[in-house]
């Protein structure tokens, strides 16, 4: 019984194997045909996908090329306007007074300059100087010192503006990322910013209220804050207005560039501090020596001030000292 079962099972297995072999032999060609068809379908699908990807990449490259060309055209136009602006004469005293944030009129400035010149003339005459020397001192007091003072105020205001400007840009970036439009971000700085950034952005908002666009109003900011950083900001706003793009990302890059420039400027200032100290010591040394000689031997040094040849020597010495100071100043001052 056991042997019969084994024989039946073996025969059944042989029959099954034979049936499978026969079926495989009959269906092999059909299976291979279906596999080849599926392979061709997959290749065609992959080719279509690749063709779609290539087309999308070409469209994207074409769009980037058009945008790059638009940006280049915008930059060329802005550069042309900047060259035309720089080709003009230096800013007038009225513009300089605005840059210094002085509320006096041009007539009052000239009146104060004249009064200061007359006062300096009388002081020089009282101290024993002659009329030519007094006239020279009065001329310097009228034309030189007031303008130098205005320039000093302009530089100090620009320095304060540069310290606060990156913080204002960060506020603008957060405002734009939170969904506020650019105009509202500008109004936010104009309302809650720190001086002098607050005043300048208020002027931008006021310029928009009288009909100027955002890019034109920002471009006018360079007239009151003559700094390359402000020019960068105006260029970014103008390019975004003409070519579009992610404004928050552009302002973020600008803020990072401004902070890096500030770090570089501080590093250069620290590295040149030794040269500046040496220049100050060398420039003050003749005056210190002259004072010490006068305190110890006044008759010996007074010949320079009483004899005409001494006047010539003093004039030549002051001239060459001025040349040396200018040379050292140009050596230790770097444009960043």
């Amino acid at each position: 019984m056991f042997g019969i079962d084994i024989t039946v099972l073996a025969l059944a297995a042989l029959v099954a194997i034979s049936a499978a072999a026969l079926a495989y032999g009959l269906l092999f060609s059909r299976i291979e045909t279906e596999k080849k068809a599926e392979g061709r379908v997959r290749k065609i699908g992959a080719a279509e996908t690749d063709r779609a990807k290539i087309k999308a990449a070409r469209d994207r490259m074409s769009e980037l090329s058009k945008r790059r060309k638009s940006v280049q055209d915008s930059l060329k136009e802005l550069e042309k306007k900047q060259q035309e602006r720089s080709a003009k004469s230096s800013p007038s005293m009225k513009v300089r007074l605005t840059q210094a944030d002085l509320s006096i009129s041009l007539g009052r400035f000239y009146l104060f300059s004249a009064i200061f010149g007359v006062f300096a003339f009388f002081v020089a005459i009282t101290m024993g100087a002659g009329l030519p020397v007094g006239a020279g001192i009065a001329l310097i007091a009228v034309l030189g010192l007031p303008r130098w003072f205005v320039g000093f105020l302009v530089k100090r205001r620009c320095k304060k503006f540069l310290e606060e400007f990156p913080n204002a840009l960060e506020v603008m970036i957060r405002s734009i990322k939170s969904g506020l439009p650019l105009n509202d971000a500008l109004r936010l700085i104009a309302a809650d910013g720190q001086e002098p950034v607050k005043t300048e952005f208020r002027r931008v908002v006021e310029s928009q209220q009288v009909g100027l666009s955002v890019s034109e109003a920002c471009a006018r900011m360079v007239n009151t804050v003559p700094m390359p950083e402000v020019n960068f900001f105006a260029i970014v706003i103008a390019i975004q207005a003409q070519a579009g793009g992610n404004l928050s990302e552009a302002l973020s890059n600008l803020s990072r560039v401004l902070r890096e420039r500030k770090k570089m400027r501080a590093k250069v200032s620290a590295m040149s501090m030794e040269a500046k100290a040496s220049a100050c010591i060398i420039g003050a040394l003749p005056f210190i020596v002259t004072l010490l000689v006068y305190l110890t031997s006044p008759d010996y040094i007074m010949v320079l001030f009483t004899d005409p040849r001494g006047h010539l020597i003093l004039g030549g010495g002051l001239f060459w000292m001025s040349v040396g100071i200018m040379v050292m100043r140009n050596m230790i001052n770097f444009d960043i």
Side-chain angles (χ1 to χ4, degrees):
M1 187 68 182
F2 181 74
I4 294 174
D5 293 338
I6 294 298
T7 303
V8 173
L9 290 175
L11 289 173
L14 290 173
V15 171
I17 293 172
S18 299
L22 180 63
Y24 181 77
L26 294 174
L27 299 176
F28 177 75
S29 59
R30 185 176 179 181
I31 294 173
E32 289 296 324
T33 303
E34 291 180 356
K35 287 183 178 180
K36 291 180 180 180
E38 290 178 359
R40 287 194 295 270
V41 170
R42 284 196 299 268
K43 289 181 180 180
I44 293 173
E48 291 293 336
T49 303
D50 294 339
R51 191 178 296 110
K53 290 182 179 178
I54 293 173
K55 185 177 182 301
R58 288 178 180 175
D59 294 340
R60 187 166 56 252
M61 291 300 296
S62 177
E63 184 67 23
L64 289 175
S65 178
K66 292 180 181 179
R67 184 177 177 184
R68 189 181 297 110
K69 187 177 183 301
S70 177
V71 170
Q72 289 176 354
D73 294 339
S74 301
L75 285 175
K76 289 180 180 179
E77 183 179 357
L78 292 172
E79 184 178 1
K80 183 178 179 181
K81 290 182 180 179
Q82 186 176 2
Q83 289 177 355
E84 292 177 354
R85 191 184 301 114
S86 61
K88 297 180 181 179
S89 58
S90 58
S92 62
M93 182 53 61
K94 184 177 181 180
V95 176
R96 298 286 288 173
L97 291 175
T98 304
Q99 293 174 354
D101 198 22
L102 294 176
S103 58
I104 63 174
S105 62
L106 188 61
R108 287 187 176 183
F109 173 77
Y110 287 133
L111 178 62
F112 292 154
S113 300
I115 293 174
F116 184 67
V118 172
F119 175 75
F121 176 77
F122 280 109
V123 170
I125 295 298
T126 304
M127 296 296 293
L131 288 178
V133 177
I137 293 175
L139 183 63
I140 294 174
V142 171
L143 299 179
L145 291 179
R147 295 175 181 270
W148 174 85
F149 181 69
V150 172
F152 169 76
L153 292 180
V154 171
K155 290 182 180 179
R156 188 178 68 174
R157 187 169 183 268
C158 290
K159 185 177 180 181
K160 290 182 179 179
F161 183 90
L162 186 59
E163 291 178 355
E164 186 60 30
F165 191 43
N167 299 329
L169 289 181
E170 293 293 338
V171 174
M172 288 184 61
I173 293 168
R174 295 190 185 96
S175 301
I176 293 173
K177 286 184 178 180
S178 64
L180 289 177
L182 178 59
N183 295 334
D184 292 342
L186 294 175
R187 292 189 181 93
L188 180 63
I189 303 299
D192 300 329
Q194 299 292 328
E195 294 292 349
V197 177
K198 179 178 180 180
T199 301
E200 295 302 325
F201 276 82
R202 186 184 298 119
R203 287 173 179 166
V204 172
V205 174
E206 292 174 354
S207 299
Q208 290 180 258
Q209 293 175 354
V210 297
L212 293 180
S213 62
V214 179
S215 58
E216 292 174 346
C218 293
R220 293 183 60 184
M221 193 188 300
V222 184
N223 298 329
T224 53
V225 186
M227 300 183 67
E229 289 80 3
V230 178
N231 194 24
F232 296 160
F233 173 72
I235 290 175
V236 169
I237 298 298
I239 290 176
Q240 194 275 337
Q242 296 179 9
N246 192 343
L247 180 58
S248 61
E249 182 179 356
L251 292 178
S252 179
N253 294 333
L254 177 61
S255 177
R256 184 173 63 255
V257 169
L258 296 184
R259 293 185 186 279
E260 292 297 329
R261 283 171 60 88
K262 184 178 179 181
K263 291 180 182 178
M264 180 61 68
R265 189 178 288 109
K267 184 177 180 180
V268 170
S269 177
M271 293 177 65
S272 61
M273 190 60 66
E274 182 179 356
K276 291 180 181 179
S278 300
C280 293
I281 293 173
I282 293 173
L285 189 59
F287 300 99
I288 295 175
V289 172
T290 301
L291 179 62
L292 294 177
V293 173
Y294 176 77
L295 294 177
T296 56
S297 303
D299 296 334
Y300 177 78
I301 196 66
M302 285 303 294
V303 179
L304 288 174
F305 302 99
T306 57
D307 194 279
R309 292 171 293 180
H311 297 167
L312 182 62
I313 293 172
L314 288 175
L318 291 175
F319 172 75
W320 287 113
M321 275 192 62
S322 301
V323 172
I325 290 173
M326 292 300 296
V327 170
M328 288 188 292
R329 183 177 181 274
N330 291 329
M331 290 175 63
I332 61 180
N333 284 340
F334 303 92
D335 293 331
I336 301 176

